[in-house]
């Protein structure tokens, strides 16, 4: 294998590692609770499907989705989708796991 081929192979491996680091960073971001997470309020939202309580559930700006995303759902300008329910459920699980430690 020539020097050029070895160099290209190393560059490719570095790019793959960088992509994995970025994926792990994003995953870590998704696995943290937003500030002011209120477990009881989130459970009520999940039980009732009533997004009127969203403003008391957590700090919207401290999420990957951002303030506007959750505000639109709260104000009925956006849909409360399955992926949002899954996100809330995920945060409940993270909260409960942290609470057990």
């Amino acid at each position: 294998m020539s020097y050029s081929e070895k160099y290209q192979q190393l560059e490719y491996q570095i790019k793959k590692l960088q992509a994995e680091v970025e994926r792990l960073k994003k995953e870590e971001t998704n696995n943290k609770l937003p500030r002011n997470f209120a477990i009881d309020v989130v459970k009520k939202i999940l039980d009732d499907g009533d997004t009127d309580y969203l403003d008391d559930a957590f700090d919207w700006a401290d999420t990957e989705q951002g303030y506007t995303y959750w505000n639109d759902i709260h104000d009925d300008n956006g849909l409360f989708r399955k992926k949002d329910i899954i996100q809330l459920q995920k945060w409940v699980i993270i909260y409960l796991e942290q609470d057990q430690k």
Side-chain angles (χ1 to χ4, degrees):
M1 187 179 292
S2 72
Y3 175 78
S4 176
E5 291 170 332
K6 287 181 184 179
Y7 183 79
Q8 286 177 339
Q9 188 178 27
L10 282 173
E11 276 191 330
Y12 174 74
Q13 290 174 341
I14 289 169
K15 285 181 184 180
K16 280 179 56 177
L17 287 171
Q18 288 171 331
E20 180 65 8
V21 166
E22 290 304 313
R23 185 190 70 77
L24 289 172
K25 282 181 184 177
K26 183 173 181 160
E27 187 176 298
E28 180 65 27
T29 300
N30 290 338
N31 287 335
K32 77 172 188 71
L33 291 176
R35 282 187 303 270
N36 304 322
F37 184 79
I39 185 73
D40 294 332
V41 177
V42 172
K43 283 183 177 180
K44 184 165 182 60
I45 294 167
L46 290 170
D47 289 343
D48 301 342
D50 188 349
T51 59
D52 287 343
Y53 300 104
L54 262 177
D55 56 341
D56 296 323
F58 52 89
D59 181 350
W60 300 341
D62 193 35
T63 67
E64 182 182 347
Q65 297 86 354
Y67 179 91
T68 303
Y69 180 88
W70 294 107
N71 188 57
D72 285 347
I73 293 171
H74 177 262
D75 292 344
D76 294 325
N77 297 329
L79 297 174
F80 191 47
R81 291 171 267 191
K82 186 175 182 177
K83 70 178 187 171
D84 304 319
I85 294 167
I86 291 169
Q87 180 63 71
L88 295 179
Q89 291 170 334
K90 185 176 179 181
W91 286 332
V92 168
I93 291 167
I94 292 168
Y95 177 90
L96 294 173
E97 286 175 346
Q98 289 178 357
D99 196 42
Q100 290 178 356
K101 292 180 182 180

